[in-house]
Amino acid sequence: MNDNKSSFQEISIALENLLKDYQKQYPKTMGDVFMNNYAFWVLLISVGLSCVFYFGTQLIEYKIMIYESLFFSGTLIIKTKRKKISSTLLPQIEQLKQQIEPFAEYPDVKNYLKEFDIELNETIKNKQKYIRIHRICFISLMLVLVFTISVIMYLP
């Protein structure tokens, strides 16, 4: 009985530590996603605004701004070290959960696993939500700029 209890405690401590590590990994917040992709935002905004000004006024200076912003943003994208989503912790968590399964006959362990799964799924959903919201914002701004440029190009 004590062997079961001690081995369960060891596994559960390791499981909770892995969950904490997963929660601390990228992306922790919405701002983390935006800061990780700020070079793409600079590219989109600078090229988009330069195009809007160029097609609005037809001045050659704004055409030069387009090339400058492309160069600057391209350099920024190359130099920036982007964080990646780690895929190593989730398999480790699943492996440890499988080691706890033999203890699931006890009601306390069953409740622990249920609560752990709820917290893990909530963390996964939040991380996916942050990335999805970032993509929606980026694509929305891109569409607004493309629409604005197309309207300005065809104005008399």
Side-chain angles (χ1 to χ4, degrees):
M1 179 70 175
N2 280 341
D3 289 339
N4 287 344
K5 187 176 180 180
S6 63
S7 63
F8 169 74
Q9 287 176 344
E10 289 173 9
I11 295 171
S12 67
I13 289 171
L15 200 57
E16 288 180 21
N17 288 337
L18 283 175
L19 179 61
K20 286 179 187 175
D21 290 343
Y22 182 69
Q23 288 172 338
K24 291 178 185 175
Q25 282 188 340
Y26 171 80
K28 291 184 277 189
T29 62
M30 191 73 223
D32 200 14
V33 179
F34 277 98
M35 288 307 294
N36 192 37
N37 295 299
Y38 77 93
F40 292 105
W41 283 94
V42 169
L43 173 69
L44 178 67
I45 291 170
S46 63
V47 171
L49 290 178
S50 299
C51 289
V52 166
F53 289 136
Y54 173 70
F55 290 119
T57 61
Q58 296 293 323
L59 293 175
I60 193 69
E61 290 86 10
Y62 292 117
K63 193 172 192 177
I64 293 170
M65 276 179 48
I66 295 171
Y67 296 123
E68 288 173 351
S69 59
L70 278 173
F71 175 75
F72 173 71
S73 302
T75 305
L76 209 77
I77 289 171
I78 291 170
K79 294 287 185 183
T80 304
K81 290 188 167 103
R82 296 184 61 218
K83 298 176 186 174
K84 302 230 187 290
I85 299 173
S86 176
S87 60
T88 58
L89 288 180
L90 286 178
Q92 291 176 359
I93 289 172
E94 289 301 321
Q95 183 182 14
L96 284 177
K97 279 175 52 179
Q98 288 176 358
Q99 290 179 8
I100 289 182
E101 287 299 324
F103 305 116
E105 62 191 41
Y106 302 110
D108 291 343
V109 175
K110 193 178 281 188
N111 289 337
Y112 172 79
L113 285 175
K114 187 189 301 181
E115 290 177 21
F116 183 84
D117 284 340
I118 289 170
E119 189 170 349
L120 178 65
N121 290 334
E122 183 178 319
T123 304
I124 291 171
K125 285 179 186 176
N126 283 339
K127 289 180 181 288
Q128 291 172 347
K129 180 179 74 172
Y130 298 149
I131 292 172
R132 186 174 56 249
I133 289 172
H134 175 264
R135 286 182 183 153
I136 289 170
C137 291
F138 190 82
I139 291 170
S140 299
L141 182 61
M142 189 179 348
L143 291 175
V144 165
L145 286 172
V146 166
F147 178 75
T148 304
I149 292 168
S150 64
V151 166
I152 290 173
M153 283 176 59
Y154 292 109
L155 283 177

